[in-house]
């Protein structure tokens, strides 16, 4: 060791926290609680958005066409498939494929209860949905009264996936027709859709006999390799009447997210939840730091008398707040991961942790603790060294 | 006569001090004049509320001056900036009636705190802390927290903390008040011995008659006035005559 090395400063903030064991545990518990709340709100929000666009992202095409009045999968309007074939004439388009969408009544084969299921009618000859189960089994949908079932469905629809995988033939009644399940695919439930069913356009019109052939919900447009998407879109918009709109698949997914976040109470609810968790956490940290500063006021006054600057004490309190933030964040994150897993099993919602969210919540925790520290240190000014004699 | 050339440790002239504002303003110190030489050990005594502690906090650079002059080690504190007052405090060791140790630090760390604002190497700091704790007889209690020490031991840690930075002046307010007779006497003797070794000036406020013999000089304060030693007898006389009537 270097003989001339400066004395290492005492880590006063940590020594102080460590000595108040009970207070330290309460603080860590409080911050963990706030972090868990924030993670959950963000997790639900993230699950809502990522599940809402799983269908969109599965579509095998660069451009999507829909009615001018369509807003979301749960707020659709129909348009004539003639528009899709008009668009097919634009240079750069390789193929087009119509899709029918409608909730239909599914009878749970186990207990005969009726539940709405979201039916997707595709042309079984077209590779239009890029989901493993659909790609593998779509040809089978050419047979009448067949469907593919969603293995990510909630239990209300019956234990279809388990029974299918154990080799059992499953048939149930839809619109007074016996429909057989021929395969499984996976789409997560969303806040608006509990389960999906994929079938052929022909079978779709049999199951939903109130729908008219030729009036479709979305059109999937596949471009030739190397085609300029923006150019094709501009050309289509110039050519098509305003009863339909066309957009890239990414914009289609973004529009769905925007719908949930802006046009339903759901996005707002979760954002507010994050804000409330933040405030709860800040209040807890403030309470802890304030009583900590108050209890140590005579000690701080002594330090001031000894010639320590106010800045030294400020740094101590801010360090305490950041140590608490870090110590509370670790168990908070672990608990949140556990609850994500449990929620995923219970609801099938795709609750996933990503690094961005971890960093964001940590930043919020640090800000929360710093704000609390900034309020608590005002108490420090009442530590008057002249009072200690 | 070498001492004559050195500036006095503390020099006070025509100092007046007040508490309160406006109509409630009340004078607590009247025309204080006092000179304390380096290395002197002074005991200040007097009844409660006579202004001893106020004078002590003024000398300790813990309070701003209202009127008069107060010079500590050559620094004038009248109209001094906050920064000047703070830097002056770093040359003074304080010993309080309550030990005022930091409860979450061990005896060793409490003494170490005094070196946090000094420019020392790690090796030197460690040596000084151990030496000082040994000097107050606590070499076997270095890792104890204040809550595990007796009153006398705590006060000895406080003395080690005050002296480890080798201050020029020690200000002590009733350091024996919370201690029994034996440990009170011990504590002050340790303080006196160490201060003499370091050539440090001590000003000690006390009511404790048992330690008056340790002082070079005793000053007496009453009702905000410093009273000469020769006048003390007169005051006592006057008191007695009042009582007789």
């Amino acid at each position: 060791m270097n003989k001339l090395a400066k004395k290492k400063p005492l880590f006063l903030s940590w020594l102080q926290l460590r000595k108040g064991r009970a207070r330290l545990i309460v603080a860590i518990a409080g911050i963990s609680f706030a972090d868990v709340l924030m993670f959950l709100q963000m997790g639900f929000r993230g699950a809502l958005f990522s599940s809402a666009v799983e269908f969109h992202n599965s579509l095998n095409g660069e451009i999507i066409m829909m009615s001018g009045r369509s807003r979301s999968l749960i707020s659709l309007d129909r348009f004539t498939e003639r528009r899709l074939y008009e668009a097919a004439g634009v240079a750069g388009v390789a193929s087009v494929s119509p899709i029918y969408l409608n909730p239909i009544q599914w009878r749970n084969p186990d207990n005969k209860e009726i539940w709405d299921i979201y039916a997707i009618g595709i042309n079984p000859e077209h590779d239009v949905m890029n989901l493993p189960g659909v790609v593998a089994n779509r040809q089978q949908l050419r047979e009448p009264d067949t469907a593919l079932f969603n293995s990510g469905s909630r239990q209300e629809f019956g234990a279809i996936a388990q029974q299918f995988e154990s080799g059992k033939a499953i048939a149930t009644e839809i619109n007074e027709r016996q429909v057989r399940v021929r395969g499984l695919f996976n789409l997560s439930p969303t806040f608006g859709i509990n389960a999906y069913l994929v079938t052929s356009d022909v079978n779709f019109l049999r199951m939903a006999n109130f729908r008219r052939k030729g009036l479709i919900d979305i059109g999937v447009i596949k471009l030739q390799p190397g085609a300029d998407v923006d150019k094709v879109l501009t050309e289509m918009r110039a050519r098509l009447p305003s009863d339909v709109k066309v957009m890239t698949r990414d914009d289609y997914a973004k529009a769905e997210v925007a719908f949930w976040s802006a046009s339903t109470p759901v996005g707002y609810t979760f954002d507010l939840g994050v804000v409330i968790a933040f405030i709860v956490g800040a209040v807890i940290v403030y309470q802890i730091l304030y009583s900590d500063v108050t209890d140590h006021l005579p000690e701080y006054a002594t330090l001031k008398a000894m010639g320590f600057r106010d800045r030294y004490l400020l740094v101590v309190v801010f360090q305490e707040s950041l140590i608490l933030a870090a110590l509370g964040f670790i168990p908070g994150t672990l608990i949140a991961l556990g609850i994500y897993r449990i929620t995923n099993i219970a609801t099938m919602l795709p609750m996933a942790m990503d690094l961005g969210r971890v960093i964001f919540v940590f930043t919020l925790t640090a800000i929360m603790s710093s704000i609390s520290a900034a309020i608590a240190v005002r108490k420090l000014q009442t530590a008057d060294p002249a009072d200690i004699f | 006569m070498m001492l004559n050339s050195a500036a006095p440790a503390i020099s006070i002239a025509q100092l007046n001090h007040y508490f309160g504002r406006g109509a409630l303003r009340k004078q607590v110190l009247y025309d204080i004049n006092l000179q304390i030489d380096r290395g002197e050990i002074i005991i200040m005594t007097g009844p409660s509320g006579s202004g001893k502690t106020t004078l002590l906090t003024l000398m300790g650079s813990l309070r701003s001056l209202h009127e008069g002059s107060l010079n500590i080690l050559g620094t004038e504190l009248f109209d001094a900036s906050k920064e000047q007052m703070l830097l002056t405090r770093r040359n003074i060791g304080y010993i309080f009636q309550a030990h005022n140790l930091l409860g979450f630090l061990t005896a060793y760390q409490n003494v170490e705190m005094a070196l946090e604002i000094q420019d020392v190497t790690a090796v030197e700091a460690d040596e000084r802390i151990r030496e000082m704790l040994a000097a107050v007889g606590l070499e076997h209690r270095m890792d104890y927290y204040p809550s595990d020490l007796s009153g006398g031991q705590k006060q000895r840690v406080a003395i080690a903390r005050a002296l480890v930075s080798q201050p020029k002046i020690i200000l002590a307010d009733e350091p024996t008040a919370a201690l029994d007779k034996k440990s009170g006497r011990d504590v002050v003797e340790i303080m006196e011995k160490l201060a003499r070794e370091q050539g440090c000036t001590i000003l000690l406020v006390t009511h404790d008659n048992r330690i008056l013999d340790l002082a070079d000089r005793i000053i007496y304060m009453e009702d905000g006035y410093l009273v000469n030693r020769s006048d003390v007898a007169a005051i006592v006389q006057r008191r007695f005559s009042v009582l007789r009537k």
Side-chain angles (χ1 to χ4, degrees):
Chain A
M1 211 176 89
N2 185 358
K3 273 215 138 185
L4 296 174
K6 276 275 186 63
K7 188 184 95 60
K8 271 198 288 182
L10 278 169
F11 196 7
L12 209 65
S13 46
W14 169 239
L15 292 170
Q16 187 173 332
L17 284 175
R18 197 186 59 177
K19 195 76 170 96
R21 194 66 51 87
R23 181 172 286 156
L24 178 64
I25 290 167
V26 171
I28 291 174
I31 293 172
S32 306
F33 177 70
D35 282 346
V36 167
L37 277 181
M38 285 196 266
F39 270 126
L40 282 190
Q41 301 295 332
M42 288 179 193
F44 285 131
R45 194 180 193 280
L48 156 69
F49 293 148
S50 68
S51 65
V53 297
E54 269 183 39
F55 168 77
H56 305 61
N57 291 333
S58 78
L59 295 176
N60 187 17
E62 291 83 351
I63 293 175
I64 307 297
M65 177 184 286
M66 75 210 78
S67 156
R69 285 185 292 184
S70 279
R71 291 204 179 86
S72 149
L73 281 187
I74 60 157
S75 176
L76 286 167
D77 195 33
R78 289 143 210 172
F79 63 98
T80 168
E81 63 181 343
R82 283 203 307 276
R83 297 282 177 263
L84 193 56
Y85 299 119
E86 286 170 42
V90 173
V93 173
S95 65
V96 297
S97 185
I99 293 186
Y100 292 90
L101 299 169
N102 221 96
I104 55 170
Q105 292 192 332
W106 164 273
R107 188 182 292 273
N108 178 334
D110 302 332
N111 61 13
K112 311 297 176 202
E113 274 181 27
I114 301 257
W115 289 86
D116 264 11
I117 194 166
Y118 200 84
I120 304 167
I122 60 167
N123 183 333
E125 309 302 327
H126 292 172
D127 192 16
V128 68
M129 279 184 85
N130 210 354
L131 291 175
V134 177
V135 172
N137 300 312
R138 64 181 157 88
Q139 304 278 356
Q140 298 195 40
L141 298 173
R142 275 183 285 191
E143 285 179 41
D145 298 323
T146 54
L148 307 179
F149 190 77
N150 183 4
S151 61
S153 300
R154 294 173 55 85
Q155 289 303 317
E156 284 85 344
F157 295 85
I160 309 297
Q162 292 90 316
Q163 290 177 23
F164 183 85
E165 272 161 3
S166 64
K168 215 169 140 191
I170 295 163
T172 190
E173 189 190 288
I174 298 175
N175 193 26
E176 294 175 355
R177 301 178 79 92
Q178 283 292 314
V179 174
R180 281 157 295 139
V181 173
R182 283 300 181 81
L184 298 174
F185 63 95
N186 198 352
L187 279 176
S188 304
T190 75
F191 280 63
I193 297 166
N194 264 337
Y196 298 88
L197 182 111
V198 171
T199 186
S200 70
D201 42 6
V202 178
N203 284 325
F204 177 92
L205 292 168
R206 286 184 187 132
M207 293 176 200
N209 58 358
F210 48 90
R211 288 290 301 263
R212 255 177 60 204
K213 185 174 171 11
L215 281 182
I216 61 170
D217 297 274
I218 58 170
V220 180
I221 298 163
K222 205 163 164 46
L223 300 187
Q224 284 161 0
D228 181 345
V229 179
D230 289 334
K231 231 176 103 182
V232 175
L233 274 175
T234 314
E235 172 75 26
M236 281 182 185
R237 281 175 187 144
R239 204 188 273 199
L240 291 164
S242 64
D243 58 344
V244 291
K245 52 188 176 190
V246 282
M247 56 183 80
T248 64
R249 197 185 64 187
D250 283 350
D251 285 346
Y252 178 49
K254 277 182 197 151
E256 184 78 29
V257 168
F259 172 83
W260 281 104
S261 120
S263 307
T264 69
V266 186
Y268 176 78
T269 307
F270 291 123
D271 289 346
L272 189 67
V274 173
V275 172
I276 288 171
F278 182 86
I279 293 170
V280 167
V283 169
I284 293 171
V285 182
Y286 167 73
Q287 283 290 340
I288 293 285
L289 287 178
Y290 182 86
S291 47
D292 200 41
V293 169
T294 308
D295 287 358
H296 290 105
L297 222 45
E299 288 160 331
Y300 291 155
T302 306
L303 292 179
K304 280 191 183 180
M306 286 165 70
F308 283 86
R309 288 173 210 281
D310 286 2
R311 198 182 344 128
Y312 180 88
L313 299 176
L314 288 183
V315 169
V316 168
V317 176
F318 274 97
Q319 273 179 359
E320 280 191 58
S321 76
L322 292 180
I323 292 170
L324 290 178
L327 289 183
F329 179 75
I330 296 164
T333 309
L334 294 178
I335 294 168
L337 277 172
I339 298 180
Y340 275 20
R341 187 85 198 97
I342 293 167
T343 308
N344 177 247
I345 292 167
T347 67
M348 314 291 289
L349 277 173
M351 303 281 282
M353 188 70 85
D354 61 70
L355 187 64
R357 186 181 300 153
V358 171
I359 292 168
F360 183 58
V361 171
F362 183 72
T363 310
L364 282 183
T365 313
I367 293 172
M368 171 178 96
S369 298
S370 305
I371 292 174
S372 311
I375 304 172
V377 292
R378 291 189 309 179
K379 183 76 184 169
L380 271 183
Q381 281 148 10
T382 64
D384 181 356
D387 287 343
I388 53 172
F389 276 111
Chain B
M1 294 290 120
M2 293 215 351
L3 273 173
N4 285 354
S5 57
I10 300 171
S11 167
I12 305 175
Q14 284 137 37
L15 183 146
N16 290 302
H17 202 79
Y18 309 87
F19 279 159
R21 282 165 194 271
L24 294 172
R25 186 162 138 125
K26 182 176 172 291
Q27 189 159 3
V28 289
L29 293 176
Y30 297 87
D31 192 31
I32 306 288
N33 292 283
L34 178 66
Q35 181 143 332
I36 299 173
D37 291 325
R38 298 198 179 205
E40 253 193 309
I41 296 184
I42 309 272
I43 285 183
M44 180 158 61
T45 176
S48 306
S50 58
K52 300 188 300 288
T53 299
T54 308
L55 185 57
L56 200 68
T57 52
L58 284 167
M59 289 194 268
S61 185
L62 300 170
R63 227 183 255 288
S64 297
L65 246 58
H66 291 161
E67 281 170 33
S69 157
L70 200 170
N71 197 294
I72 299 281
L73 303 164
T75 306
E76 175 56 50
L77 289 184
F78 182 74
D79 238 5
S81 67
K82 285 213 152 183
E83 180 70 11
Q84 268 176 309
M85 288 182 71
L86 181 117
L87 292 176
T88 305
R89 293 211 283 272
R90 294 188 175 181
N91 292 315
I92 302 174
Y94 301 86
I95 297 166
F96 312 94
Q97 181 172 348
H99 53 83
N100 282 9
L101 296 176
L102 275 60
F104 52 89
L105 298 182
T106 62
Y108 181 98
Q109 290 167 330
N110 263 292
V111 178
E112 189 182 350
M113 268 320 277
L115 294 178
E116 286 286 283
I117 40 178
Q118 306 282 334
D119 198 21
V120 289
T121 66
V123 176
E124 191 192 344
D126 185 60
E127 266 171 22
R128 273 162 68 175
I129 296 163
R130 284 171 193 281
E131 256 170 43
M132 196 50 74
L133 280 166
V136 297
L138 290 176
E139 61 271 49
H140 303 304
R141 296 281 186 277
M142 287 202 285
D143 295 325
Y144 281 50
Y145 285 95
S147 52
D148 300 327
L149 296 172
S150 72
Q153 288 172 330
K154 279 187 256 203
Q155 201 57 289
R156 271 141 67 189
V157 177
I159 289 170
R161 177 175 69 178
L163 286 165
V164 74
S165 54
Q166 294 165 353
K168 300 289 177 295
I169 300 175
I170 294 278
L171 298 177
D173 192 20
E174 306 268 11
T176 59
L179 306 178
D180 61 52
K181 188 178 155 188
K182 171 81 171 63
S183 43
R185 175 87 193 179
D186 286 354
V187 156
V188 177
E189 275 177 357
I190 291 169
M191 197 165 103
E192 189 218 358
K193 179 174 157 283
L194 292 172
R196 290 221 193 266
E197 281 168 18
Q198 292 187 7
C200 150
T201 308
I202 296 185
L203 182 77
L204 201 154
V205 169
T206 187
H207 281 113
D208 191 346
N209 295 325
R210 297 167 308 209
I211 56 172
L212 295 182
D213 59 299
L214 297 168
D216 294 330
R217 182 150 61 110
I218 296 170
I219 54 178
Y220 184 81
M221 198 158 195
E222 186 165 316
D223 297 337
Y225 292 95
L226 263 189
V227 189
N228 282 330
R229 246 233 299 243
S230 53
D231 298 340
V232 174
I235 290 170
V236 172
Q237 203 73 59
R238 203 166 63 221
R239 279 281 157 91
F240 275 117
S241 60
V242 169
L243 283 172
R244 263 183 224 136
K245 275 179 190 171

